[in-house]
Amino acid sequence: MAAILVEASRVSPDDLRRLWLSLQQDHLISVLVASAFLVFASTAYLSTRPRPIYLVDFACYRPPDRLSASSSRFITHSRLCGQFDDSALQFQERILVRSGLGEDTYLPDALHSLPPMPSMSAARQEAEAVMFGALDSLFRNTSLNPRDIGILVVNCSLFNPTPSLSAMIANRYHLRGNIRTFNLGGMGCSAGVISLDLARDLLQVHRSTYAVVVSTENITQNWYFGNRKSMLIPNCLFRVGCSAVLLSNRPLDRSRAKYRLAHVVRTHRGADDRAFRCVYQEEDNAGKVGVSLSKDLMAIAGEALKVNITTLGPLVLPVSEQLLFFASLVARKLLKSAAKVKPYIPDFKLAFEHFCIHAGGRAVIDELEKNLHLLPSHVEASRMTLHRFGNTSSSSIWYELAYLEAKGRVHRGHRIWQIAFGSGFKCNSVVWHALRNIRPSPGSPWEDCISHYPVQIVDGFPQES
């Protein structure tokens, strides 16, 4: 700049005039203006476009065998603890038979004791065991230094101590002082997708950053010891589990990443009172706290799903399916006999190779298999996760993806749809694209049992296939 200024000071007005006329004759002014505009536009585009988000790896917690809770052991403990009447015990036994859960799911230490000991201390121990177990596996498989993490998001719906669960992780792994931590509570089984959405937004702002998302639920302090049947169902379905996911916006991580995040679609039906109360934590007549499940739950989940796929469909479906869906919608609006025109359900099998449906229960999986016209192979991962690990809440969709990896079914270019439901009422979806042929990471929760799966579930009873 100094040299240019010195030279410019030596130029006379006549020299400047001759230079200007020369530039006009050679059209250099137009070229320079066009070049400057092109550089400016390119810079603006590169700086404002969404950064690709990569899933480097993930890990799921595998509880020790001593925490295994077979159906017979579950019922025996429920009877011996003396908190349930005969009607409640019979109801739990019927639910277990039809639940789709196998004999190797897990309950926390406090509930294996007689009498059960659901204390704050025991709840902290459960949280530490599952979170640290998943994170230790993740850090070991990725060789990541915990101090390199810039963003930490933890979600646990029913257990939110002080200090928070995210603070417990920061303390254990000595995370750096300027890390951005978030602790999401009360958001149900779909909170794992909400955490991913939050991490994605943060990674769009903060450059060259790692984000870790930890999804879990705590059973110790949230076991229901009453006799209201609508509040006993969670006892029969929910089991110990946790997932830890490593995300990155660093271009160099693409070569080692498993997946690229394509879409996140969230649907919230909380404005509807019926939807708001269909999964509701409250006290029963005896003052015992539990989570009540409404009889309308499946209908409300179906309504939320319709809204969610209406938003997701245009993002992922081929044009032919979108046109058929639009034609069906117009026909129902215009024809007088609209009630006789069935709504067209798009064929999502054309958009995705794999489906990870929240393993909330056998009825949830059955309903989505029916409504989305899926094949048994498409819901296999969900059914087997429910059978092997039970409903692990927000982490269940990761046990399902781990199942697909353990079976060697995820290949380069495949599209995966993870869909979860949660209190509020919410239906949330996330879409991933596989960047390579995926092999299971060391320490997979299916490592020592994948050869035994799939099993056939007939009327709630597992049968070896």
Side-chain angles (χ1 to χ4, degrees):
M1 289 298 295
I4 291 173
L5 290 173
V6 170
E7 290 298 323
S9 66
R10 297 174 181 174
V11 178
S12 67
D14 289 338
D15 292 334
L16 290 174
R17 182 172 174 277
R18 284 193 296 271
L19 178 61
W20 174 257
L21 292 173
S22 175
L23 291 175
Q24 283 185 321
Q25 291 174 358
D26 296 336
H27 303 288
L28 287 180
I29 291 293
S30 300
V31 173
L32 289 173
V33 170
S35 301
F37 177 79
L38 182 62
V39 170
F40 175 79
S42 301
T43 304
Y45 170 75
L46 292 173
S47 62
T48 58
R49 69 171 181 171
R51 295 186 179 90
I53 306 301
Y54 303 110
L55 191 162
V56 179
D57 205 350
F58 68 95
C60 297
Y61 175 66
R62 168 68 184 273
D65 291 340
R66 62 182 177 80
L67 298 182
S68 179
S70 64
S71 298
S72 59
R73 188 174 186 181
F74 178 96
I75 293 299
T76 299
H77 273 64
S78 296
R79 183 177 292 111
L80 292 176
C81 78
Q83 300 289 330
F84 307 103
D85 59 28
D86 290 340
S87 177
L89 290 169
Q90 292 171 9
F91 176 77
Q92 291 181 84
E93 197 162 7
R94 289 197 303 271
I95 292 296
L96 283 173
V97 166
R98 298 182 303 207
S99 66
L101 272 70
E103 297 299 306
D104 298 312
T105 60
Y106 303 96
L107 287 172
D109 269 312
L111 298 181
H112 283 278
S113 303
L114 279 175
M117 303 174 63
S119 64
M120 171 64 80
S121 175
R124 284 183 182 275
Q125 290 175 11
E126 180 193 349
E128 291 174 354
V130 301
M131 293 192 306
F132 300 162
L135 286 168
D136 286 347
S137 179
L138 180 68
F139 295 151
R140 183 168 55 250
N141 292 340
T142 59
S143 301
L144 178 70
N145 184 340
R147 293 189 63 83
D148 291 335
I149 301 170
I151 298 163
L152 173 66
V153 185
V154 181
N155 66 267
C156 182
S157 190
L158 295 174
F159 181 60
N160 293 284
T162 300
S164 67
L165 299 177
S166 59
M168 291 165 61
I169 294 174
N171 177 259
R172 164 65 180 262
Y173 295 100
H174 305 289
L175 303 184
R176 68 195 200 201
N178 64 344
I179 188 171
R180 291 163 177 85
T181 64
F182 300 85
N183 206 100
L184 307 183
M187 305 195 79
C189 299
S190 65
V193 179
I194 297 173
S195 296
L196 285 172
D197 192 28
L198 174 58
R200 179 191 64 170
D201 289 346
L202 291 166
L203 286 171
Q204 292 300 327
V205 177
H206 304 285
R207 295 177 179 273
S208 191
T209 305
Y210 286 114
V212 170
V213 174
V214 178
S215 300
T216 188
E217 189 53 85
N218 193 281
I219 298 175
T220 297
Q221 278 202 316
N222 297 288
W223 199 254
Y224 175 61
F225 290 101
N227 294 297
R228 184 188 292 182
K229 292 180 180 178
S230 63
M231 301 171 79
L232 284 168
I233 297 175
N235 283 13
C236 301
L237 297 178
F238 282 89
R239 296 294 184 266
V240 171
C242 180
S243 64
V245 180
L246 176 61
L247 303 174
S248 172
N249 59 10
R250 295 155 51 101
L252 291 176
D253 284 321
R254 189 188 191 285
S255 59
R256 67 168 182 149
K258 288 184 172 183
Y259 307 96
R260 177 179 61 82
L261 179 59
H263 306 289
V264 178
V265 175
R266 293 168 54 182
T267 300
H268 204 304
R269 304 283 292 172
D272 182 345
D273 288 342
R274 191 170 63 104
F276 175 72
R277 294 188 65 91
C278 71
V279 181
Y280 202 80
Q281 187 178 26
E282 59 184 341
E283 296 174 332
D284 64 9
N285 296 333
K288 296 180 179 178
V289 177
V291 175
S292 175
L293 302 183
S294 167
K295 294 180 179 179
D296 299 327
L297 177 59
M298 292 314 304
I300 292 167
E303 294 168 4
L305 175 65
K306 289 177 183 177
V307 177
N308 190 268
I309 64 176
T310 300
T311 305
L312 179 66
L315 300 175
V316 298
L317 287 169
V319 175
S320 59
E321 286 298 302
Q322 295 188 48
L323 290 175
L324 288 171
F325 178 77
F326 179 73
S328 170
L329 184 64
V330 171
R332 288 176 57 82
K333 291 289 185 181
L334 298 181
L335 296 180
K336 294 181 180 180
S337 57
K340 297 180 181 180
V341 179
K342 293 184 178 180
Y344 179 73
I345 304 298
D347 187 359
F348 280 94
K349 298 188 292 295
L350 299 175
F352 303 107
E353 284 74 29
H354 306 289
F355 299 80
C356 296
I357 299 167
H358 168 51
R362 183 184 168 199
V364 175
I365 302 171
D366 288 346
E367 193 70 15
L368 265 71
E369 180 182 8
K370 175 184 175 183
N371 288 344
L372 296 177
H373 301 160
L374 301 179
L375 301 174
S377 59
H378 293 130
V379 296
E380 179 186 314
S382 300
R383 291 196 190 281
M384 297 308 105
T385 294
L386 181 65
H387 177 269
R388 180 64 185 85
F389 295 100
N391 180 351
T392 59
S393 189
S394 55
S395 64
S396 69
I397 55 177
W398 296 105
Y399 285 86
E400 294 163 17
L401 187 53
Y403 177 88
L404 294 170
E405 291 185 357
K407 282 292 185 181
R409 296 177 183 172
V410 184
H411 302 290
R412 181 186 178 90
H414 279 188
R415 298 154 296 180
I416 301 98
W417 181 14
Q418 292 179 317
I419 182 167
F421 300 91
S423 58
F425 188 83
K426 299 179 284 292
C427 175
N428 298 326
S429 296
V430 58
V431 178
W432 302 97
H433 287 181
L435 298 175
R436 52 186 169 88
N437 296 339
I438 307 297
R439 295 179 178 273
S441 300
S444 166
W446 299 92
E447 199 168 54
D448 64 344
C449 61
I450 193 63
S451 60
H452 303 147
Y453 285 89
V455 297
Q456 187 177 4
I457 310 295
V458 179
D459 296 328
F461 293 94
Q463 298 181 357
E464 293 288 345
S465 59

